[in-house]
Amino acid sequence: MNEKILDSKNVSVSFRINGELQTALHKISVSIKRGEVLALVGESGSGKSTLAMSIMGLHNAEQTEVTGSITLDGHELIGLTERQFDQYRGVRVGMIFQDPLSSLNPLMKIGEQISEAIVVHDKNAPNLKGHVQRLLTDVGIINPKRVAQQYPHELSGGMRQRVMIAIALSNEPDLIIADEPTTALDATIQAQILDLIKEIQLKKNAGILLITHDLGVVAETADTVAVMYAGQIVEQADVEELFANPKHPYTRSLLRADPSNVSPGEELYAISGTVPALKDMDHSKDLFLQRIPWLSDDVVNATIDEELEVVGDNHFVRGNAWKTFEFLDVTEKGHAK
Amino acid sequence: MWQTILRRILIMIPQIILVSILIFMLAQLMPGDPFYGNLNPNSDPATIERLRHAAGLDLPWYQQYFKWIGNVLHGDLGTSYVVNKGWTVTRIIGQRIWPTLSMGIIATILTYFLAITQALVSARNENKWIDRTFIVWNTMTSAVPSFVFYFIMMVLFVYIIPVFPSSGTGIDDTQSFFVNFFSNLRYAFLPALTIALFSTNSIYQYLRSNLLDQQAQDYVRTARAKGVQIKDVFRKHILRNAFLPIASQIGYSITGVLGGAMFAETVFGYPGIGALFVQALSGRDYTVITAVMLLQGILALLGGLLSDIISAWVDPRIRVK
Amino acid sequence: MSELVKIENLKVYYPIKSGFFDRVTDNVKAVDDVSLTIETGKTYGLVGESGSGKTTIGKVLVGLENPTSGKISFEGQVVTTIKQKKAINYNKDVQMIFQDSQSSLNPRKTIGDIISEPLRSFGVPGKIGAGYDGQRSFEQDKINARVLELLDIVGLPARTVTQYPFQFSGGQRQRIGVARALATNPKLIVADEPVSALDLSVQAQVLNFMKKIQRDYNISFLFISHDLGVVRYMTDNIAIMHNGRFVEIGTTEDIFDNAKHIFTKRLLSAIPSLDVKKREENRAERKRVEREFVQYKNDYYQQIGSYMRAYDLESISETHFVAIKKGEN
């Protein structure tokens, strides 16, 4: 059960913008085992979705350069042709997106949209209707017959996301990528969808790549976590270890910025500045340090090791700043309580 | 659904009344009347007065309106003073409407066919030379007045390469429907093709940008993530969504048939409603003018209704109970 | 504590028309008989799922919509309708911050224009307009001084007055929205999901900032949100909404530590916890609450067809009210 279903090594992604190659993702190495949920967490612009799109081969080939290696169950994905990618998208990898309303074709019945995912890979799929209804039942839809005949706008947000999950599951994939699957949903529905994802993880024994910006979602769902900033992984650890023992300044800053982790009397830690633009990303440095005002220029501009440092059992941190980092305003009390 | 359609039709009644009043008043505002150009300038003013009185032209406008609308409701649109002097307007329109309809239908079909083909090719080849060619073509046809092209087409295909007849409709009342149908096709095709060639621009531009918009939608990404090939995503998903707003336009395009026919029929010597309207305008044959305008008004309302029905039919989101 | 705004028996209905003659056959009860009192300098959380009617209350409160019935008073004056609100320049005192700072700022106007708009409508407030000397100066000078002062308050440099919204990040735009809301020195700000579109770091900036201006200017907030984590951090009192009705009102402690209504419990159990060790426990708790919700919903809701209408609120302490069937507590 410990086989790596997804293994990415030194994946870099660059976009050609105005004729110039700009690096959005720099040497990302992550792996997912069967039955494991890996959460990629970071703010917008961190490159989490870029990695997902590279695994799916959904980048515009003319404007994107992907290097490194991504293997799925041992098969190399980088360098596949469009047609070869079509062979395994939806079969070996299923994907769930953020906004289930816009992600479903408004003019197609739910049943058709699910059966398309099956038929596209097997024209003579037997008992299609039964298969669709079984999938809908699997994702917790009580009246699958009726739902299959409905259009996306006739369903609630939670139901639509269940349908998206049914589509992702339709060919029993080895890997499921969920890109912010609950961000557009209400809290109770979010909890239901996360529980469903956990249930699928147990039942289907697929690997799950969960992309989110929400630390609560990570804590509830992930087995391992990779924290991303500006196209790089800054810290990676098992979920318990990460929340109990965060090392990198970015991880610690995020935890202190989360209102559900800070008592109302205390001030939230507001990270200053913004994520650098793609063209300003110098990946030989720890880019997050620019956003800590009290650090000296020497520390901020120091060139750091490309490899993440092993700081514990399956716990990796980028750079050296974490060794001495302290919040300037107050001590780090109250965090991760 | 049927209830909604019925209600829409009922709402059309006051709309038609309003349109008829407007048209009538417009006709009243036109300078002169049918007698001015057609009478000997030396006629006795008393004679003119008598003629005008006999035609009811000396009554206040609202009385004239009620008289007119009353007659219209009885199917009496009056008598032409100028174009076909002495003929009833109903008879003139009855004779002229079929050529216009046949040409209009052919023109509409060709327009959509050409515009859709161009837009599809453009969207699949965004920013390539073929896309740019179509953009330039459509910009040009919308910038240059259409009658310029009509003359070029006329000269080209009637005189230089005489493949099409020069004037007439090819309809002969003594012949059977089928004979007329095919002979009319030969006459209607050139003006219809000409209208179509030069009126693709709005549909083309709309559809092209729609197609490009739809390609960037999230559901396209979903389909790609299912493993559907790009060309199939285009065929199964993008097309229908992009066509949706165009489909509802088809209803309105009926309205354009008469308007578009005006120049084309005149230039090609194709005696339909459009040419009739131009003749009537220049002769101030206002019984004919009001009748054609009324017809146009009713067509516009019907076109709107048709558009709504089509939208409701093709888009599940606005389906009415 | 003084009472700033009082909402009594507020109803907002949207008619459903049907049949051949488009007659009103039913109503969507977006807000169905709710009452709430807002005190000076406090933050009130209005929590519910999408479609619960929370935004509608916010809109009625700032005068973007008229109520169907009910009464709203502001410092003792009746301001139920938009007309009544206009009559006393109510929006000088009550402003709104929106969720989507991108679309709520006019892209063709400079930041200076955007922030000074309420000043041009209502004049420059005298009390805290420290940027001018209180003498009669030209109105435009006063406005300019106030705009610069506001930019300073929200931490944006003075040169931004001539810039346009697209030149700013999401967090900065949200602060511009706050500056605009603050311009007239309001007493109440209705904040409709002010941070849900923002990243965690930016969200922290905006939340800290809202707390700061509350301390500095004694502003009341009506904080509309579906995010209970943020609501707990920000508010003193909370009203939980479901299907246009309040199901529970109380202090933040009442709600989080002593929730009584099944819907509140359900919402609370859905909050993801950062405590990884407890997640199995939380999941079991969610399942348990869900079962309880199904089993006991008749104790909390009147079933009208498929529509669940919460009972009227019953007091269970001085601050804590719950919608349960009479005699159940």
Side-chain angles (χ1 to χ4, degrees):
Chain A
M1 276 303 151
N2 266 347
E3 59 174 309
K4 281 180 184 174
I5 194 67
L6 180 88
D7 196 8
S8 85
K9 288 204 180 78
N10 292 325
V11 177
S12 295
V13 179
S14 306
F15 298 120
R16 193 162 283 117
I17 299 167
N18 301 328
E20 218 178 296
L21 270 184
Q22 298 182 354
T23 307
L25 218 55
H26 185 74
K27 299 208 169 169
I28 300 287
S29 301
V30 286
S31 63
I32 303 176
K33 300 187 202 88
R34 279 195 183 277
E36 181 189 38
V37 177
L38 169 75
L40 277 187
V41 52
E43 298 178 280
S44 40
S46 61
K48 343 183 263 295
S49 295
T50 306
L51 182 63
M53 294 312 253
S54 313
I55 298 170
M56 294 299 282
L58 285 175
H59 285 304
N60 180 337
E62 285 166 30
Q63 280 153 32
T64 320
E65 200 180 278
V66 185
T67 59
S69 158
I70 302 175
T71 58
L72 185 78
D73 205 13
H75 302 287
E76 178 61 51
L77 301 181
I78 290 179
L80 290 189
T81 64
E82 203 54 59
R83 289 301 298 273
Q84 287 168 321
F85 254 123
D86 282 332
Q87 301 296 313
Y88 97 101
R89 272 194 288 249
V91 185
R92 312 297 303 272
V93 193
M95 190 156 178
I96 307 160
F97 299 97
Q98 174 173 345
D99 181 354
L101 179 58
S102 67
S103 295
L104 289 166
N105 186 339
L107 303 182
M108 238 184 184
K109 285 181 183 165
I110 298 301
E112 287 173 62
Q113 306 206 36
I114 299 173
S115 59
E116 182 187 35
I118 303 163
V119 172
V120 75
H121 299 290
D122 179 7
K123 281 205 173 62
N124 307 309
N127 189 18
L128 202 53
K129 268 197 180 148
H131 192 172
V132 168
Q133 282 171 20
R134 204 166 52 245
L135 283 166
L136 286 170
T137 315
D138 276 357
V139 295
I141 287 175
I142 302 154
N143 41 2
K145 265 196 183 138
R146 197 169 134 232
V147 171
Q149 290 301 316
Q150 286 180 307
Y151 288 94
H153 73 275
E154 296 173 294
L155 305 180
S156 67
M159 291 275 269
R160 284 184 210 124
Q161 196 58 298
R162 286 174 193 273
V163 169
M164 285 300 292
I165 296 173
I167 291 174
L169 291 178
S170 54
N171 295 304
E172 304 260 327
D174 302 314
L175 176 70
I176 297 164
I177 301 177
D179 191 353
E180 303 272 8
T182 58
T183 308
L185 304 175
D186 276 326
T188 45
I189 310 296
Q190 159 164 305
Q192 288 168 11
I193 295 291
L194 292 180
D195 289 349
L196 175 63
I197 289 176
K198 281 307 267 188
E199 200 182 300
I200 288 165
Q201 176 201 5
L202 296 176
K203 269 207 298 219
K204 308 275 175 183
N205 199 30
I208 296 177
L209 177 64
L210 176 73
I211 295 170
T212 181
H213 69 282
D214 187 330
L215 295 173
V217 169
V218 174
E220 286 275 345
T221 321
D223 299 314
T224 37
V225 187
V227 182
M228 287 187 71
Y229 182 79
Q232 287 173 306
I233 291 175
V234 295
E235 183 162 7
Q236 191 172 339
D238 289 341
V239 65
E240 278 189 41
E241 166 74 5
L242 189 93
F243 281 93
N245 221 347
K247 296 271 190 268
H248 194 275
Y250 183 54
T251 317
R252 286 161 65 185
S253 301
L254 283 180
L255 282 165
R256 287 217 350 180
D258 192 331
S260 48
N261 198 33
V262 177
S263 66
E266 285 175 67
E267 199 163 305
L268 299 168
Y269 176 68
I271 300 170
S272 66
T274 50
V275 179
L278 277 190
K279 62 174 167 44
D280 300 327
M281 287 184 186
D282 175 358
H283 287 111
S284 64
K285 295 173 187 152
D286 186 343
L287 285 163
F288 180 67
L289 303 183
Q290 296 169 356
R291 298 183 65 183
I292 308 170
W294 60 87
L295 290 186
S296 70
D297 284 357
D298 298 348
V299 179
V300 173
N301 293 323
T303 304
I304 54 161
D305 212 4
E306 256 184 9
E307 299 289 315
L308 271 62
E309 188 175 336
V310 184
V311 295
D313 187 22
N314 201 24
H315 191 168
F316 310 90
V317 188
R318 186 172 157 77
N320 304 309
W322 63 273
K323 290 171 187 158
T324 52
F325 176 75
E326 287 290 345
F327 284 103
L328 190 63
D329 46 0
V330 274
T331 49
E332 219 168 331
K333 69 170 164 104
H335 121 76
K337 64 179 171 156
Chain B
M1 182 83 192
W2 289 111
Q3 220 178 41
T4 314
I5 294 173
L6 192 62
R7 189 166 65 221
R8 282 289 315 266
I9 292 173
L10 284 182
I11 291 170
M12 278 172 61
I13 293 171
Q15 286 176 325
I16 291 174
I17 293 173
L18 204 71
V19 165
S20 71
I21 294 175
L22 254 142
I23 289 168
F24 187 80
M25 289 179 68
L26 271 174
Q28 292 284 311
L29 286 172
M30 289 199 319
D33 64 37
F35 297 109
Y36 277 124
N38 287 312
L39 292 171
N40 185 342
N42 302 321
S43 298
D44 173 18
T47 317
I48 296 177
E49 207 43 51
R50 209 172 52 245
L51 281 167
R52 295 197 56 194
H53 180 75
L57 292 175
D58 56 349
L59 293 169
W61 73 267
Y62 55 88
Q63 284 189 20
Q64 287 191 50
Y65 171 75
F66 282 119
K67 204 175 130 199
W68 173 69
I69 201 75
N71 290 336
V72 168
L73 288 176
H74 288 101
D76 177 8
L77 289 156
T79 312
S80 166
Y81 295 96
V82 187
V83 182
N84 290 71
K85 205 167 173 180
W87 284 32
T88 63
V89 175
T90 327
R91 182 176 164 204
I92 300 175
I93 287 182
Q95 191 190 50
R96 299 271 193 138
I97 193 144
W98 301 112
T100 296
L101 276 182
S102 71
M103 187 187 78
I105 290 167
I106 299 170
T108 308
I109 293 170
L110 285 176
T111 307
Y112 275 89
F113 176 75
L114 290 171
I116 290 169
T117 314
Q118 289 176 31
L120 285 177
V121 172
S122 269
R124 288 304 301 273
N125 300 285
E126 194 192 353
N127 286 332
K128 304 223 173 87
W129 67 269
I130 184 112
D131 177 31
R132 281 160 203 247
T133 310
F134 285 141
I135 292 176
V136 168
W137 168 257
N138 281 287
T139 314
M140 191 180 77
T141 55
S142 62
V144 179
S146 51
F147 63 83
V148 175
F149 293 112
Y150 295 174
F151 279 117
I152 295 172
M153 290 291 282
M154 170 91 174
V155 171
L156 206 61
F157 291 106
V158 175
Y159 297 107
I160 300 178
I161 322 165
V163 277
F164 292 106
S166 68
S167 66
T169 62
I171 296 175
D172 179 348
D173 286 346
T174 61
Q175 296 291 334
S176 72
F177 174 79
F178 284 103
V179 174
N180 276 333
F181 182 82
F182 288 107
S183 91
N184 173 245
L185 263 187
R186 232 165 67 76
Y187 284 83
F189 191 75
L190 183 62
L193 176 70
T194 308
I195 291 175
L197 269 180
F198 303 105
S199 52
T200 52
N201 62 76
S202 64
I203 304 168
Y204 163 79
Q205 275 164 10
Y206 194 38
L207 186 55
R208 177 182 177 275
S209 66
N210 255 346
L211 284 165
L212 293 177
D213 278 357
Q214 293 297 330
Q215 284 182 48
Q217 294 297 312
D218 288 349
Y219 68 82
V220 172
R221 196 181 51 184
T222 308
R224 297 283 288 133
K226 289 180 195 171
V228 183
Q229 287 180 36
I230 294 179
K231 68 174 196 327
D232 291 333
V233 174
F234 212 87
R235 196 167 49 84
K236 287 188 193 156
H237 294 270
I238 296 173
L239 280 189
R240 207 172 149 209
N241 278 286
F243 275 133
L244 207 64
I246 302 287
S248 63
Q249 288 293 312
I250 292 177
Y252 289 109
S253 69
I254 288 179
T255 317
V257 166
L258 286 188
M262 258 170 55
F263 286 124
E265 288 183 0
T266 310
V267 172
F268 288 96
Y270 185 86
I273 297 276
L276 171 72
F277 191 61
V278 174
Q279 281 173 286
L281 271 180
S282 52
R284 308 223 169 88
D285 195 349
Y286 83 97
T287 46
V288 177
I289 294 171
T290 45
V292 174
M293 280 169 69
L294 192 62
L295 186 67
Q296 170 80 3
I298 292 169
L299 271 181
L301 292 172
L302 281 175
L305 175 66
L306 188 61
S307 278
D308 287 358
I309 294 172
I310 293 175
S311 321
W313 177 53
V314 292
D315 191 342
R317 285 165 297 186
I318 47 177
R319 213 158 268 177
V320 275
K321 50 191 181 300
Chain C
M1 274 304 144
S2 66
E3 185 181 296
L4 185 68
V5 175
K6 195 166 182 174
I7 301 173
E8 291 164 90
N9 305 99
L10 181 72
K11 292 180 184 175
V12 184
Y13 290 180
Y14 301 114
I16 303 171
K17 291 176 178 174
S18 64
F20 189 75
F21 294 104
D22 254 353
R23 267 186 313 224
V24 178
T25 50
D26 204 351
N27 288 299
V28 175
K29 296 176 178 173
V31 179
D32 187 10
D33 201 359
V34 305
S35 302
L36 179 73
T37 304
I38 294 175
E39 289 176 356
T40 306
K42 295 269 184 175
T43 302
Y44 292 77
L46 196 51
V47 179
E49 306 196 317
S50 43
S52 61
K54 54 191 197 302
T55 295
T56 311
I57 293 184
K59 282 183 174 170
V60 170
L61 207 50
V62 292
L64 290 172
E65 211 162 304
N66 266 324
T68 308
S69 74
K71 183 179 158 196
I72 302 171
S73 36
F74 177 78
E75 291 182 328
Q77 275 173 297
V78 177
V79 286
T80 308
T81 62
I82 294 172
K83 222 172 147 184
Q84 287 164 336
K85 289 185 178 89
K86 286 242 166 76
I88 64 157
N89 272 350
Y90 169 82
N91 279 109
K92 188 172 152 298
D93 293 318
V94 179
Q95 284 281 324
M96 188 156 183
I97 308 173
F98 300 90
Q99 169 176 4
D100 187 353
S101 58
Q102 175 92 57
S103 62
S104 61
L105 301 179
N106 185 337
R108 283 179 195 80
K109 287 197 168 172
T110 64
I111 302 311
D113 288 337
I114 289 169
I115 298 177
S116 60
E117 206 169 335
L119 296 171
R120 283 193 295 272
S121 314
F122 299 114
V124 179
K127 217 164 51 191
I128 58 162
Y132 71 104
D133 55 9
Q135 302 282 324
R136 285 186 73 89
S137 62
F138 287 109
E139 194 62 21
Q140 191 56 47
D141 291 346
K142 286 202 277 181
I143 289 176
N144 291 345
R146 176 69 178 149
V147 168
L148 292 178
E149 187 188 350
L150 286 162
L151 284 173
D152 188 49
I153 292 174
V154 298
L156 291 169
R159 64 183 151 78
T160 54
V161 279
T162 55
Q163 292 180 316
Y164 290 88
F166 72 88
Q167 293 169 289
F168 296 88
S169 67
Q172 288 172 318
R173 275 198 300 265
Q174 199 56 291
R175 280 186 278 166
I176 293 164
V178 173
R180 173 177 61 184
L182 279 180
T184 54
N185 194 15
K187 293 172 181 155
L188 169 67
I189 292 181
V190 176
D192 189 0
E193 303 271 9
V195 293
S196 5
L198 303 176
D199 269 326
L200 210 48
S201 61
V202 185
Q203 171 179 307
Q205 287 172 18
V206 175
L207 294 181
N208 282 345
F209 177 68
M210 286 177 69
K211 281 203 160 183
K212 181 181 178 316
I213 56 174
Q214 179 165 53
R215 278 198 304 273
D216 292 353
Y217 304 115
N218 204 26
I219 296 172
S220 306
F221 283 116
L222 181 66
F223 198 97
I224 301 172
S225 180
H226 71 280
D227 186 334
L228 279 161
V230 176
V231 168
R232 164 145 77 177
Y233 180 76
M234 289 299 288
T235 61
D236 306 300
N237 297 281
I238 296 175
I240 307 279
M241 252 190 121
H242 185 213
N243 282 347
R245 303 268 295 165
F246 284 166
V247 297
E248 190 157 2
I249 297 185
T251 63
T252 305
E253 292 73 38
D254 288 336
I255 299 291
F256 277 89
D257 303 336
N258 192 21
K260 291 286 183 223
H261 198 277
I262 188 65
F263 184 76
T264 314
K265 289 183 190 168
R266 197 165 168 235
L267 277 183
L268 291 175
S269 74
I271 306 176
S273 156
L274 289 191
D275 192 342
V276 180
K277 290 194 189 72
K278 279 195 182 151
R279 67 186 190 188
E280 292 309 323
E281 209 178 296
N282 290 342
R283 197 162 297 136
E285 170 69 7
R286 271 203 291 279
K287 291 233 158 71
R288 195 189 60 73
V289 173
E290 200 57 45
R291 277 196 302 274
E292 200 185 319
F293 184 82
V294 175
Q295 201 176 346
Y296 296 110
K297 66 180 171 199
N298 286 337
D299 295 342
Y300 300 94
Y301 295 97
Q302 226 176 319
Q303 202 77 27
I304 306 171
S306 62
Y307 169 72
M308 301 199 310
R309 186 180 194 271
Y311 288 107
D312 289 334
L313 291 171
E314 301 288 327
S315 162
I316 59 166
S317 81
E318 213 169 288
T319 53
H320 195 172
F321 301 83
V322 187
I324 34 175
K325 216 174 188 172
K326 270 210 167 79
E328 288 286 324
N329 53 337

